[in-house]
């Protein structure tokens, strides 16, 4: 396979929009979704990628009827393409600051549940202050773990996530909210009448939790592992669902962040006597890449949030 020649790259008239097309195709896993994201026709994206590969003298993408994959040259080119686009955005930001406004694409990742953080309100403030900033908001299947990885890879500019231990390497983390974790059991459970339980009291129980990678799951898994207790998670619920409804039906017990409101009927909430577990919501961005002005503006608005009372 042919590698990208350094001298040829220096001479190539690579256009920023072609870099944007390439990154979008990779992140969206296809030309159709990339075109929709960029608000251009698919033929323009395809032509742009062909032009980019012609200028570089290397094939960047494997194209099949089912999937799009990176070649070895594409793998090498992707981080530099992202950094070039980020540098171009920083140049635009510098000019925009002199005119009192910001623009460009802001890629935001978020958990399904962010506690009392009013993310829609922060995004509304951002839109009113900087109407030319285009917001792209999404989640990741693996929760906070996948969000952190996406930040490190440069796929996201900023994210609201949960940290279940030391901050991941390569990220700048700012806490937004912290809640103590508790145990939920069905009303008829033998432990339901107690105010607090020890982790050992839960040995042998069937657990309901979010999938691996979610912040609360990571915290609970680590606590039981550190205590030498094997925990069996028999039912994993989606990020937008709360385990409490499943606990109420007697399908298991759950370790969750303490809700601000009283739990649902049919469920008892117990404190954890021998472990100080906290679910922390944070705003995060890459330590390795300079943040865009729009990302910094949103971070400031999130840090200025006023906790709500309905979550």
């Amino acid at each position: 396979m042919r590698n990208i020649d350094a001298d040829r790259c220096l001479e190539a008239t690579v256009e920023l929009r072609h870099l944007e097309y390439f990154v979008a195709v990779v992140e969206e896993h296809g030309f159709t979704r990339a075109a929709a994201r960029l608000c251009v026709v698919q033929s323009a994206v395809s032509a742009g990628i062909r032009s980019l590969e012609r200028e570089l003298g290397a094939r960047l993408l494997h194209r099949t009827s089912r999937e799009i994959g990176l070649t070895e040259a594409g793998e090498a080119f992707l981080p530099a393409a992202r950094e070039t686009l980020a540098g171009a955005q920083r140049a635009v930001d510098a000019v925009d600051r002199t005119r009192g406004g910001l623009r460009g694409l802001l890629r935001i990742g978020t958990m399904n549940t962010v506690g009392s953080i009013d993310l829609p309100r922060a995004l509304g403030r951002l839109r009113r202050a900087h109407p030319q900033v285009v917001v792209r908001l999404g989640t990741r299947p693996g929760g906070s773990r996948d969000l952190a990885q996406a930040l490190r890879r440069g796929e996201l500019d900023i994210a609201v996530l949960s940290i279940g231990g030391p901050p991941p390497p390569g990220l700048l983390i700012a806490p937004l909210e912290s809640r103590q974790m508790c145990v939920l059991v069905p009303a008829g459970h033998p432990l339901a009448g107690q105010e607090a339980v020890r982790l050992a009291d839960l040995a042998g129980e069937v657990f309901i939790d979010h999938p691996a990678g979610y912040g609360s799951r990571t915290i609970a898994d680590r606590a039981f592992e550190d205590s030498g207790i094997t925990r069996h998670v028999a039912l994993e619920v989606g990020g937008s669902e709360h385990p409490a409804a499943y606990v109420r039906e007697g399908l298991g017990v759950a370790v969750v962040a303490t809700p601000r409101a009283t739990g649902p009927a049919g469920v008892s909430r117990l404190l954890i006597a021998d472990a100080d577990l906290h679910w922390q919501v944070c705003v995060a961005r890459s330590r390795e890449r300079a943040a865009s002005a729009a990302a910094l503006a949103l971070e400031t608005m999130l840090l200025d949030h006023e906790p709500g009372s309905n979550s």
Side-chain angles (χ1 to χ4, degrees):
M1 181 180 59
R2 186 175 180 181
N3 292 324
I4 297 176
D5 183 84
D7 293 334
R8 185 176 177 82
C9 283
L10 292 175
E11 297 172 358
T13 55
V14 173
E15 297 185 30
L16 284 176
R17 64 189 175 94
H18 293 165
L19 296 184
E20 189 175 17
Y21 291 171
F22 169 67
V23 171
V25 168
V26 173
E27 293 181 353
E28 298 296 336
H29 307 289
F31 287 82
T32 302
R33 289 189 294 272
R37 162 176 155 179
L38 298 169
C39 299
V40 299
V41 296
Q42 182 175 332
S43 59
V45 176
S46 298
I49 297 297
R50 287 195 299 269
S51 177
L52 179 61
E53 291 178 326
R54 188 166 53 250
E55 291 291 347
L56 296 174
R59 179 66 64 87
L60 301 176
L61 299 171
H62 289 301
R63 302 168 180 82
T64 70
S65 59
R66 292 189 174 183
E67 62 182 3
I68 301 294
L70 286 167
T71 65
E72 183 179 349
E75 291 276 6
F77 188 65
L78 180 60
R82 284 178 171 147
E83 184 56 37
T84 299
L85 290 172
Q89 182 60 53
R90 289 193 295 271
V92 172
D93 289 344
V95 175
D96 288 343
R97 288 192 194 95
T98 68
R99 302 188 303 178
L102 302 176
R103 52 182 162 155
L105 174 66
L106 180 59
R107 303 164 301 168
I108 307 164
T110 181
M111 303 181 292
N112 293 98
T113 302
V114 293
S116 68
I117 309 306
D118 196 338
L119 181 57
R121 182 184 180 192
L123 292 176
R125 289 177 60 193
L126 182 70
R127 171 59 58 84
R128 290 187 290 274
H130 307 290
Q132 294 190 72
V133 171
V134 177
V135 169
R136 181 175 175 233
L137 178 67
T139 60
R140 288 292 191 277
S144 294
R145 177 192 59 197
D146 284 5
L147 291 171
Q149 292 173 353
L151 285 170
R152 287 196 293 267
R153 290 194 298 261
E155 297 172 6
L156 295 173
D157 301 305
I158 192 169
V160 179
L161 45 73
S162 175
I163 301 301
L171 297 186
L172 293 171
I173 303 291
L176 298 174
E177 179 186 18
S178 179
R179 291 190 190 177
Q180 189 175 19
M181 299 188 73
C182 65
V183 178
L184 300 182
V185 301
H189 194 280
L191 297 173
Q194 300 183 196
E195 180 179 346
V197 294
R198 301 172 63 85
L199 293 180
D201 297 330
L202 302 172
E205 293 285 350
V206 172
F207 284 85
I208 302 162
D209 211 327
H210 294 299
Y214 280 65
S216 58
R217 171 70 179 267
T218 301
I219 295 168
D221 284 346
R222 182 176 290 116
F224 281 92
E225 183 179 349
D226 290 346
S227 298
I229 301 170
T230 300
R231 189 170 82 112
H232 176 51
V233 177
L235 181 60
E236 292 184 341
V237 300
S240 60
E241 297 181 281
H242 198 281
Y246 296 87
V247 172
R248 180 193 61 211
E249 298 301 323
L251 298 172
V253 305
V255 180
V256 301
T258 305
R260 292 186 178 275
T262 303
V267 173
S268 293
R269 186 170 69 188
L270 313 176
L271 300 177
I272 302 174
D274 58 341
D276 188 20
L277 307 183
H278 286 83
W279 177 71
Q280 190 173 59
V281 181
C282 306
V283 58
R285 51 187 173 85
S286 173
R287 184 185 295 272
E288 310 301 330
R289 298 177 180 84
S292 69
L296 293 175
L298 178 60
E299 180 182 68
T300 298
M301 292 172 182
L302 287 169
L303 291 171
D304 287 343
H305 87 286
E306 296 180 2
S309 59
N310 59 351
S311 49

